Amino acid sequence: MSTRQVERPAASALTGRGAWPLRDHPTTLWLTAALVVAAVGRSLPAADWLVLHLVVLGAVTHAVMVWSTHFAQALLKTPATLDSRRQQGRRLALLLAGSTLVFVGVPSGWWWLTLAGATCAAGAVVWHGLQLWRRLRSALPGRFRITIRYYLAAAACMPVGATFGVLLARQPADPWHARLVVAHSLMMALGWLGLTVTGTLVTFWATMLRARMDDRAETLARQALPILIGGVLVSVAGALIGLSPLTALGLVTYAGGLAWWGRALIAPARRSLPRRFTTVSAACALCWFAASVLGVAVLVAVTPDWAGVGARYDRVAAALAVGFALQLVLAALSHLVPSVLGGGPAALRAGLDWFERAAPFRVVVLNLGLVLWLLPLPEPTRVALAVLVGLAVASFLPLAGLSVRESVRARRSAAAAGSAGSAGAAAPPELLTIGRGPAPERAFWTSTQLAVAGSVVALVVATSLALSGASAGAGAGDVAPTGHTTTVDVVADGMAFTPASVTVPAGDRLVIRLTNRDRTTTHDLVLDAGQHTPRLAPGATGQVDVGVVSAPMEGWCSVVGHRQMGMVLQVLVTGAAAPPGTAQGAMGGAMGGTTGQSAQEPAPSGHDATGHLGQGDLSADFTAYDPELAPLTPERVRRVTLTVEEVEVEVAPGTWQRRWTYNGRSPGPTLHGRVGDVFEVTLVNHGTIGHSIDFHAGARAPDEVMRTVPPGASLTYRFTAARAGIWMYHCSTMPMSAHIGAGMAGAVVIEPADLPAVDRSFLLVQSELFLGASTARGSAGEVDADKAQAATPDGVTFNGVAYQYDSSPLTARVGERVRFWVLDAGPNRATSFHVVGAQFDAVWAEGDWRLRPGSSGGSQTLALGAAQGGFVETRFPEAGHYPFVSHVMADAERGAHGIVRVRP
């Protein structure tokens, strides 16, 4: 076969020479964002999902759009006006906007934003495919038109895969969730990315090797295309209908198509062995691709149910995203970045050489590290390996910058030396050369670098294994380790772990993979031995390495209240004796033992010697909750934003608690209106777990407006106040006793039409405190859900802080008419509001008058059950200090106490 070349397109075609920010920067920006999230953004909602999709949907998809257009132009040689740079820019901008919306919409739970973003991204790819089809129809007959047909098939797959992704964002229950995960990933990885890659490498593989192509390359590619398309369609169809054998058959078919197509890559590799970073990385990426296809086929074939497939799929996704897609893109860009800048052979060589810096080390660390990461190693070892792989990937970014700088310098030097011809359009074609013989290369691949890379990986693994082994051995008791690892998959959903118990042989090392299938809130798993998973956002998967197991243990979700709702996992051990005292402990629990404070134990932190909250001075920087009810304003549509915030609050003198709040205070902002007013409330969740809101003042079906909102998400709650009353609003996420007890409640005052004016109007919301183990400032604990369920509060407050109105009294004057609006937010206890030294001459409760002003009778208390409200009125007869309390005396002594200072 004679030497043949496909000429470089003119500068006006597709990308052209020189810089173009919309073409050059997004891949680097998305890759940088993925590395940042992987390194420091683990607390973000759906962090693992975000890293994966920043790589695949962000960096890789942008690169595919850019370079498949470029290769189409290089092969077809169509006029530049057929697809101008402006049109290409609009497509890339649409893809960029769509990807950004998806990256915001999925973690925040805003499905409509996810739908809009996926529509934009899929629309950009469909537009891209239409332009490729126009090019193909307009081009003269020529070789390798089959590559464009690969691109067209790939572009048809992407919108279908995006549709599956949008459905996944709704968090359907298993088995549909797992089926959609498989269908989505196969359509995107094998269809959109796989077909693009195989179509490109028909010619580009020989170009990177600088070797003559196999004479059969075009024929083999043409024969393989229907096999590959058929494999994608069959495997995806099998996943959607839940037929595992069909999915496995489609994957094996696809692997067969890869093998048939890959025969064309062997001859160029024999003529010029892969020696540079670009070719070695590309070869490794193809190996990962083939292995992943077969790995999914085996996983689907041997796993009895789709939920199990979904729980194990995270490692397949990592292999496809990092091993195949990302590594191949980095390899391709390492060749293309210097090539597209132009400048002649010297500039090209200068740019390419920068990517060879520490190339063996980077390739070995990435691939060997990823292989080991996929094994069931202890979690610290896998974390260390992930860091190594991340560093290998991150090294591309500075090297790309240095390569560009060196290419520009070489081009300027050539121009200064009078080499204008080599810097112009007549530069030798480097982007797509078919049949070119091997060029001389420096020997960058040295045994020293390979040995150093292997040694670094081995050192990291050995060190982390030694640390993990020491930790596991400490809890292994007298059981001899078997050397076997038992890995189990557990799903968290609906306030339960499924399965609720797992069994492991004594002496085995236990690894638990936890997948959060809950649509709205985070979960984790904490074992009584101390090991734990991270907090997992909806849809995320994490794992905990328990170590060598010698005795039964218990695990639970540590999110406040979830354990009390039944999220408990039992770890059962076969072949091990029960630890001493187990039967006795179980009997004690059956006989009614509690976890409460014993009579011999000291009072909890924050309590005085009697067990009551301290009544000293609050901190110098404390500001009391404003008890005055703001005057009614004239507007009839009232808009308010309630932002969930977790803040540390002094809840009694010297006693602190981490509170869950609306807008940073507890109770939340008071909404004040009249009958017929419309309230439009936006709830924004800036907390770490799911929260919601329930307005008693409105009549709405709770399905949507009262749904739990995951961290980072929001909803809008609109209702019309149809009846007068002082209504409670609160978080309705289960367990409600814990969420309300943590401070998530407030009042809505809807005044009756005939309400007479008064001189002063105060609002008091009574609620209960359930303190955690620590009440120290700076390390305060969250609400104790056990105490909330048992209705055993540590304190009772007015407006969220015990005794605050002793040091910051309410004020009035003799003879003024004073109204006290009172709401009992509970969550459990009733109140009997009383002002010492005063009599109430008006009582209004639960929407009606019980004692009208001017009547001869009087009232001494306002009795309210949990979530009830009303008001009382009085005139103070003389100056002095009038205590107000809940006349449930135990609660007054727990903090439901304050003072009205009456001046002359």
Side-chain angles (χ1 to χ4, degrees):
M1 178 179 178
S2 60
T3 299
R4 293 180 296 274
Q5 296 177 349
V6 175
E7 298 175 4
R8 178 193 297 109
S12 59
L14 175 66
T15 55
R17 298 280 181 176
W20 181 12
L22 196 56
R23 175 199 66 188
D24 301 335
H25 297 328
T27 292
T28 302
L29 291 175
W30 290 134
L31 180 57
T32 302
L35 292 169
V36 170
V37 173
V40 299
R42 307 307 299 167
S43 61
L44 292 174
D48 292 333
W49 178 94
L50 191 56
V51 171
L52 175 67
H53 286 77
L54 283 168
V55 170
V56 177
L57 177 59
V60 176
T61 294
H62 177 85
V64 165
M65 285 271 288
V66 168
W67 299 110
S68 60
T69 304
H70 183 89
F71 288 126
Q73 174 64 21
L75 289 167
L76 300 178
K77 305 173 196 170
T78 51
T81 55
L82 194 61
D83 189 14
S84 67
R85 178 163 169 160
R86 176 176 295 180
Q87 287 180 311
Q88 297 161 32
R90 289 171 178 168
R91 289 201 302 271
L92 295 177
L94 184 62
L95 175 65
L96 182 65
S99 302
T100 302
L101 293 178
V102 171
F103 298 148
V104 175
V106 171
S108 66
W110 296 337
W111 187 78
W112 59 271
L113 196 63
T114 303
L115 175 62
T119 302
C120 291
V125 173
V126 169
W127 187 0
H128 166 74
L130 291 174
Q131 289 300 109
L132 291 175
W133 180 71
R134 288 184 62 204
R135 287 177 183 273
L136 187 63
R137 291 197 61 186
S138 302
L140 296 173
R143 300 185 65 224
F144 297 106
R145 294 164 63 93
I146 187 61
T147 294
I148 316 305
R149 294 190 174 92
Y150 271 81
Y151 293 165
L152 291 173
C157 290
M158 194 275 185
V160 181
T163 301
F164 297 152
V166 170
L167 295 175
L168 271 173
R170 299 290 289 178
Q171 288 296 323
D174 278 327
W176 269 109
H177 185 278
R179 293 181 190 176
L180 284 172
V181 166
V182 175
H184 170 67
S185 66
L186 295 184
M187 187 62 76
M188 299 299 275
L190 277 59
W192 167 234
L193 300 180
L195 293 177
T196 301
V197 166
T198 49
T200 300
L201 289 181
V202 171
T203 56
F204 193 50
W205 174 246
T207 299
M208 290 192 295
L209 288 170
R210 303 175 182 227
R212 177 180 171 180
M213 290 183 59
D214 192 314
D215 294 343
R216 306 168 300 165
E218 187 174 13
T219 300
L220 292 174
R222 186 180 299 108
Q223 295 168 346
L225 180 58
I227 301 175
L228 295 172
I229 294 175
V232 173
L233 296 179
V234 170
S235 60
V236 170
L240 291 176
I241 65 177
L243 197 57
S244 299
L246 188 62
T247 300
L249 175 62
L251 290 166
V252 171
T253 301
Y254 192 93
L258 282 180
W260 189 261
W261 162 85
R263 295 163 63 198
L265 308 185
I266 299 174
R270 285 178 175 173
R271 296 187 182 106
S272 177
L273 289 176
R275 292 180 290 178
R276 284 187 171 270
F277 173 78
T278 55
T279 51
V280 175
S281 291
C284 291
L286 290 176
C287 291
W288 278 109
F289 188 32
S292 298
V293 172
L294 294 175
V296 177
V298 173
L299 174 63
V300 170
V302 303
T303 306
D305 57 80
W306 284 96
V309 172
R312 293 176 172 86
Y313 212 75
D314 58 327
R315 302 197 181 193
V316 174
L320 283 169
V322 179
F324 164 55
L326 181 57
Q327 185 169 206
L328 188 62
V329 165
L330 296 183
L333 291 180
S334 298
H335 182 93
L336 293 169
V337 166
S339 300
V340 79
L341 292 174
L348 175 63
R349 189 174 298 110
L352 289 173
D353 285 354
W354 265 104
F355 287 109
E356 303 305 316
R357 300 299 194 271
F361 183 88
R362 292 184 286 129
V363 171
V364 170
V365 165
L366 191 154
N367 289 279
L368 181 57
L370 186 56
V371 168
L372 296 174
W373 183 87
L374 294 173
L375 299 178
L377 295 171
E379 190 63 20
T381 302
R382 297 181 72 242
V383 170
L385 289 168
V387 171
L388 277 180
V389 172
L391 292 174
V393 172
S395 65
F396 171 82
L397 300 175
L399 289 174
L402 293 169
S403 171
V404 171
R405 185 191 67 178
E406 200 63 30
S407 294
V408 172
R409 284 181 177 176
R411 182 174 59 187
R412 290 174 178 171
S413 297
S419 303
S422 63
E430 294 287 351
L431 284 178
L432 197 58
T433 302
I434 302 175
R436 189 173 215 178
E441 295 181 352
R442 291 168 54 192
F444 291 103
W445 294 85
T446 64
S447 57
T448 301
Q449 287 198 48
L450 295 175
V452 170
S455 299
V456 168
V457 174
L459 179 62
V460 168
V461 172
T463 302
S464 57
L465 281 176
L467 295 174
S468 301
S471 174
D478 297 328
V479 175
T482 63
H484 180 261
T485 297
T486 296
T487 302
V488 296
D489 293 288
V490 177
V491 172
D493 190 13
M495 292 297 170
F497 289 120
T498 304
S501 65
V502 299
T503 303
V504 57
D508 272 21
R509 184 166 67 89
L510 174 62
V511 175
I512 301 175
R513 276 198 298 255
L514 177 67
T515 301
N516 183 6
R517 288 284 179 260
D518 202 306
R519 294 181 57 183
T520 57
T521 194
T522 56
H523 293 296
D524 64 7
L525 175 62
V526 176
L527 294 159
D528 51 19
Q531 303 94 334
H532 61 88
T533 68
R535 288 275 175 98
L536 301 175
T541 298
Q543 76 174 33
V544 55
D545 189 334
V546 182
V548 176
V549 177
S550 62
M553 61 182 68
E554 186 175 79
W556 59 87
C557 179
S558 71
V559 176
V560 173
H562 289 195
R563 184 180 187 181
Q564 289 75 17
M565 292 295 296
M567 294 199 73
V568 177
L569 176 72
Q570 300 294 335
V571 178
L572 308 178
V573 180
T574 59
T582 300
Q584 182 180 357
M587 184 64 70
M591 295 296 289
T594 69
T595 59
Q597 177 189 349
S598 68
Q600 291 76 25
E601 292 174 337
S605 174
H607 293 62
D608 60 21
T610 67
H612 296 139
L613 290 173
Q615 299 184 40
D617 293 331
L618 291 151
S619 300
D621 57 351
F622 175 80
T623 302
Y625 191 101
D626 186 358
E628 292 199 27
L629 180 64
L632 192 60
T633 53
E635 68 267 19
R636 301 309 302 268
V637 177
R638 304 178 183 275
R639 295 180 175 87
V640 63
T641 297
L642 299 180
T643 302
V644 176
E645 299 175 358
E646 298 177 4
V647 296
E648 195 174 70
V649 176
E650 188 175 16
V651 293
T655 302
W656 295 74
Q657 185 180 42
R658 187 163 186 81
R659 303 282 276 168
W660 303 344
T661 70
Y662 296 116
N663 290 9
R665 298 299 299 267
S666 178
T670 299
L671 281 59
H672 192 187
R674 58 179 66 84
V675 173
D677 284 0
V678 175
F679 290 84
E680 187 174 289
V681 183
T682 300
L683 175 68
V684 181
N685 186 1
H686 286 173
T688 59
I689 64 173
H691 292 291
S692 59
I693 198 161
D694 172 1
F695 282 97
H696 294 188
R700 294 290 307 274
D703 305 65
E704 287 298 320
V705 293
M706 300 181 199
R707 71 183 185 274
T708 296
V709 177
S714 67
L715 63 76
T716 298
Y717 192 142
R718 187 180 178 94
F719 67 90
T720 300
R723 293 177 174 84
I726 174 169
W727 305 90
M728 181 179 176
Y729 70 84
H730 62 90
C731 180
S732 59
T733 299
M734 297 299 287
M736 276 189 263
S737 59
H739 285 251
I740 296 171
M744 303 197 75
V748 181
V749 176
I750 306 299
E751 294 189 1
D754 58 348
L755 187 65
V758 293
D759 298 300
R760 295 182 187 271
S761 188
F762 298 109
L763 173 68
L764 298 170
V765 178
Q766 179 178 308
S767 60
E768 301 149 35
L769 293 174
F770 306 97
L771 300 176
S774 173
T775 57
R777 186 172 192 172
S779 60
E782 294 179 312
V783 62
D784 187 320
D786 283 328
K787 295 178 183 177
Q789 276 202 339
T792 54
D794 296 286
V796 181
T797 75
F798 287 123
N799 291 345
V801 181
Y803 306 114
Q804 66 175 318
Y805 298 122
D806 286 358
S807 55
S808 301
L810 283 59
T811 60
R813 292 186 180 276
V814 173
E816 287 183 332
R817 187 160 192 81
V818 180
R819 178 179 294 143
F820 295 91
W821 291 88
V822 183
L823 172 69
D824 182 4
N828 303 312
R829 300 177 70 84
T831 188
S832 184
F833 181 76
H834 173 68
V835 179
V836 179
Q839 295 178 332
F840 305 137
D841 61 9
V843 179
W844 189 88
E846 287 296 284
D848 199 8
W849 290 99
R850 295 183 181 176
L851 180 64
R852 285 186 175 271
S855 64
S856 60
S859 175
Q860 55 199 314
T861 65
L862 173 61
L864 300 169
Q868 289 188 325
F871 67 77
V872 291
E873 296 177 3
T874 190
R875 294 181 188 272
F876 293 101
E878 58 187 10
H881 294 79
Y882 294 77
F884 60 89
V885 297
S886 170
H887 220 288
V888 179
M889 279 294 110
D891 291 347
E893 292 163 0
R894 287 187 174 103
H897 186 285
I899 294 173
V900 182
R901 181 188 295 138
V902 180
R903 296 186 175 92

